[in-house]
Amino acid sequence: MEDAKLYARCTYMLQTTMFFLDVKMNFDDISREICFGFKFLKAGSFDLRYTLPGYPSCILESDRDVKLMFRSLVECKVSSVDILARDCGGSSTVTSGGTSLFDDGSLYLSTASKNDSIDENEYLGCFRPEAAKSYLSNEWHGYISYVGQKFEGGVLEFRDKLCKFAIESGFMFAYKRNCPSRVIAHCSKRHCDGCQWFVRALKNNVNGFFYIKELNNIHTCKGVLRQQKSQLLGSHIVKSVISDELKSNPGVKPKEIISRFKNSFGLDVSYKIAWYGRELARKSLHGDDGDSYSQLAWYQSAVLSTNPGSYCILESNPLTNRFERFFICFAGCIEGFKSCIPLLFVDAAHLKSKFKGYMLCATGKNGNQEFFPFAFAVVDSENDANWNWFFSHLYNILLPQGRTVTFVTDRHVGLLNAVAKHFPDSPHSYCYYHLRENVRGLYRKQSQSYFIDKIIDEFMKVAYAPTERSYYYNLANLEKEGGNRYGEMANSIAESFNSWTKELRELPIFEMLDGIRITCTAPI
């Protein structure tokens, strides 16, 4: 390889200068060439990195690094090298020996001599311009770097990184060829401005990886400038960015995604794109909501075989084989409830997955005044038939324990009928909060607010009466019904279970059920 054929492409702030290389050049020679190409740069104000096939960020800080770079060019059989110049930060100072200190404490070899003049920014003090904000998307600028670059994720990874590279670099591209085995793209201003930027990548049939075969990474068109809004920033880009976050935070909202892109990436995302991106990420992580229902038969069998003593019922339509209802009470919950107060708080909560539905739950309370998850079910709606079905299975579980269990509910019609039908001898108490709202509703259309508030205040005094004398008449009625609340006035325990499962209720049914199982059985 002749020395005259060697050349370098140095990029700084989306601009590129080119110069010839000579094996006799040292680090200061290369720095002078870069300063000659970028008149506004001064020696010592930047640090350098270069790329080689398989090594996207090689250190270039000394004469030794320069010699190794030339040696690597010969071994890789390439005649050019891409060099990236980056600001060191205006607050770094030159010390003896030619080393400088970054703000983060790391050292780099300065290109300035001891006699060089000090940067005028050092005299500006607190009035010097602030450094540009660093975004997480800065690394996207290196996603398309050199010929031979490898993409182990195949065409999907290549397309994803190509879009992110274009977003960060500030240009649009068009596909000339886009198929699973070959992608060719060029700058969208090729026909109007004659821009020669292009990339060609092919699939390797042996390992399935994608490799860049041709790349002209220089733009000659105008208007290559990174912007907050980009037509390339679609739902697939959002999906790739938030997938990891969605594993630990499945309840992330589109508004939170918009805020994260704004603050962490400096990019604007519409609500629609954020929402679709989240749905794509969910499907990628958890699978399709419809397919999740087909796994319930296996899940029922696995629970009963690996957790003996559990109570698990799956019902489907015998004609269509479509899912109808699912009930589960783990063996540990059945055994643990024997040591809990004989009190169950019953409530329902909306499911937030694609097919909606309801979760019916029965939650207990242990001796430490902590809520104890007992049994839950998934049904299509909160109606009489489903509540009767739910309590029939509760009866099968509780009957062998031989205890009289008190139920606390919100006076839903289906609950009133189901408790009376399956547990006629059990006390049935009502949540004070729901009773209070029922009283408020009786007078809402008949009286003014001050009268309603007075009625509610009197109702509270009766409900919380401290002695039998002050509550003699009402207590007599309660004892006549056989009520025993164990000091509980509200259905807040059931609400705690609903809050506890809030994020899980957004997942497909299989992942939701298994998530509850993991949470129930996790060691404290």
Side-chain angles (χ1 to χ4, degrees):
M1 183 182 298
E2 298 181 11
D3 297 343
K5 292 183 179 180
L6 295 175
Y7 68 97
R9 295 182 291 265
C10 182
T11 301
Y12 173 78
M13 299 292 289
L14 303 182
Q15 298 184 41
T16 302
T17 183
M18 303 177 66
F19 54 90
F20 287 109
L21 294 173
D22 190 295
V23 293
K24 298 180 181 180
M25 296 176 73
N26 57 27
F27 182 71
D28 288 338
D29 294 332
I30 290 178
S31 298
R32 280 193 291 270
E33 288 287 348
I34 292 173
C35 292
F36 180 80
F38 300 110
K39 304 297 184 183
F40 44 83
L41 282 182
K42 294 185 178 181
S45 66
F46 55 88
D47 70 315
L48 303 174
R49 298 289 186 272
Y50 68 95
T51 63
L52 286 174
Y55 303 94
S57 183
C58 301
I59 296 174
L60 188 59
E61 296 180 339
S62 64
D63 293 343
R64 177 177 175 273
D65 294 334
V66 173
K67 291 181 180 179
L68 289 173
M69 180 183 72
F70 282 118
R71 179 70 176 269
S72 299
L73 290 176
V74 173
E75 291 181 351
C76 293
K77 298 180 181 180
V78 293
S79 59
S80 64
V81 62
D82 289 302
I83 299 175
L84 176 65
R86 301 182 299 183
D87 290 329
C88 293
S91 59
S92 60
T93 57
V94 179
T95 63
S96 60
T99 59
S100 296
L101 189 65
F102 282 116
D103 292 336
D104 62 2
S106 60
L107 291 173
Y108 72 94
L109 187 65
S110 172
T111 59
S113 66
K114 298 179 182 179
N115 297 326
D116 283 344
S117 60
I118 300 177
D119 191 347
E120 61 270 15
N121 281 339
E122 296 184 12
Y123 292 104
L124 296 177
C126 62
F127 295 101
R128 65 172 176 262
E130 295 183 1
K133 184 174 181 180
S134 178
Y135 291 110
L136 294 178
S137 59
N138 288 354
E139 66 177 23
W140 295 359
H141 193 60
Y143 278 1
I144 304 296
S145 301
Y146 54 88
V147 173
Q149 189 174 357
K150 176 176 63 177
F151 302 86
E152 296 184 5
V155 67
L156 296 180
E157 180 187 352
F158 177 75
R159 289 169 182 161
D160 176 72
K161 289 191 172 181
L162 177 60
C163 287
K164 290 177 179 176
F165 170 75
I167 291 170
E168 184 63 19
S169 300
F171 73 96
M172 295 291 296
F173 66 85
Y175 287 114
K176 182 178 180 181
R177 182 76 179 270
N178 184 16
C179 64
S181 60
R182 176 179 300 180
V183 173
I184 303 175
H186 56 77
C187 179
S188 60
K189 296 184 178 180
R190 180 175 184 173
H191 299 295
C192 58
D193 284 356
C195 183
Q196 295 301 306
W197 182 94
F198 81 97
V199 61
R200 182 172 71 92
L202 301 177
K203 176 185 176 181
N204 186 307
N205 292 326
V206 176
N207 55 21
F209 298 168
F210 246 62
Y211 292 88
I212 294 180
K213 294 300 182 180
E214 291 184 73
L215 174 65
N216 182 353
N217 218 5
I218 301 175
H219 283 274
T220 58
C221 59
K222 299 178 182 179
V224 179
L225 181 65
R226 184 190 192 276
Q227 297 179 341
Q228 284 187 251
K229 294 183 178 180
S230 174
Q231 297 179 19
L232 296 173
L233 184 50
S235 55
H236 286 276
I237 299 296
V238 174
K239 167 204 163 187
S240 67
V241 170
I242 70 168
S243 288
D244 289 337
E245 180 183 350
L246 207 64
K247 294 177 183 178
S248 58
N249 182 20
V252 63
K253 306 297 182 184
K255 288 184 178 180
E256 296 172 355
I257 297 173
I258 294 172
S259 177
R260 187 188 174 199
F261 268 84
K262 182 84 170 179
N263 298 325
S264 300
F265 295 87
L267 297 169
D268 290 338
V269 179
S270 69
Y271 186 93
K272 181 179 179 180
I273 289 177
W275 187 89
Y276 275 109
R278 183 190 63 173
E279 295 307 301
L280 288 173
R282 280 182 174 175
K283 186 174 181 179
S284 174
L285 291 172
H286 304 295
D288 184 78
D289 283 45
D291 295 338
S292 183
Y293 282 87
S294 64
Q295 302 179 60
L296 292 182
W298 173 88
Y299 187 74
Q300 179 196 28
S301 177
V303 168
L304 295 177
S305 61
T306 60
N307 196 352
S310 296
Y311 190 97
C312 189
I313 301 295
L314 171 63
E315 288 191 3
S316 58
N317 188 303
L319 298 178
T320 62
N321 206 31
R322 294 174 64 90
F323 169 85
E324 289 188 344
R325 297 180 289 207
F326 188 88
F327 181 99
I328 188 166
C329 183
F330 297 109
C333 297
I334 296 174
E335 190 65 27
F337 186 68
K338 296 177 182 179
S339 300
C340 292
I341 302 169
L343 182 68
L344 282 177
F345 301 84
V346 184
D347 198 9
H350 293 273
L351 298 182
K352 303 176 182 179
S353 61
K354 179 179 179 181
F355 296 103
K356 306 302 179 183
Y358 285 81
M359 177 187 289
L360 311 182
C361 61
T363 310
K365 197 171 187 180
N366 62 22
N368 294 327
Q369 301 299 304
E370 300 167 335
F371 81 89
F372 184 87
F374 181 59
F376 59 95
V378 175
V379 297
D380 58 349
S381 61
E382 188 182 5
N383 55 31
D384 288 0
N386 285 331
W387 276 124
N388 272 304
W389 175 82
F390 181 73
F391 272 89
S392 68
H393 293 302
L394 282 182
Y395 178 80
N396 294 337
I397 297 171
L398 296 173
L399 180 63
Q401 296 189 8
R403 295 196 299 170
T404 300
V405 178
T406 296
F407 293 95
V408 180
T409 71
D410 61 0
R411 287 184 59 83
H412 185 278
V413 176
L415 276 167
L416 295 175
N417 297 333
V419 174
K421 178 179 179 180
H422 297 282
F423 294 90
D425 298 327
S426 292
H428 187 182
S429 299
Y430 310 123
C431 172
Y432 165 73
Y433 172 81
H434 290 92
L435 286 175
R436 187 189 67 185
E437 293 306 303
N438 288 342
V439 172
R440 189 188 299 275
L442 291 174
Y443 295 96
R444 182 172 288 117
K445 296 181 179 180
Q446 302 176 22
S447 282
Q448 298 178 355
S449 59
Y450 76 90
F451 178 76
I452 297 176
D453 292 339
K454 180 175 177 57
I455 293 295
I456 295 298
D457 184 59
E458 293 299 325
F459 177 77
M460 183 185 69
K461 292 178 182 179
V462 172
Y464 285 92
T467 65
E468 290 187 12
R469 182 179 295 273
S470 63
Y471 193 32
Y472 180 80
Y473 177 78
N474 296 286
L475 181 60
N477 289 336
L478 182 61
E479 290 177 343
K480 183 179 179 180
E481 296 295 331
N484 191 348
R485 305 179 67 97
Y486 298 94
E488 299 294 338
M489 296 296 295
N491 202 16
S492 55
I493 293 296
E495 297 297 337
S496 296
F497 181 84
N498 293 342
S499 177
W500 187 57
T501 59
K502 180 179 179 180
E503 292 184 351
L504 292 172
R505 285 187 279 115
E506 298 193 18
L507 300 178
I509 187 170
F510 177 81
E511 283 71 19
M512 179 192 71
L513 293 173
D514 204 47
I516 295 175
R517 177 193 64 83
I518 293 171
T519 309
C520 287
T521 57
I524 299 176

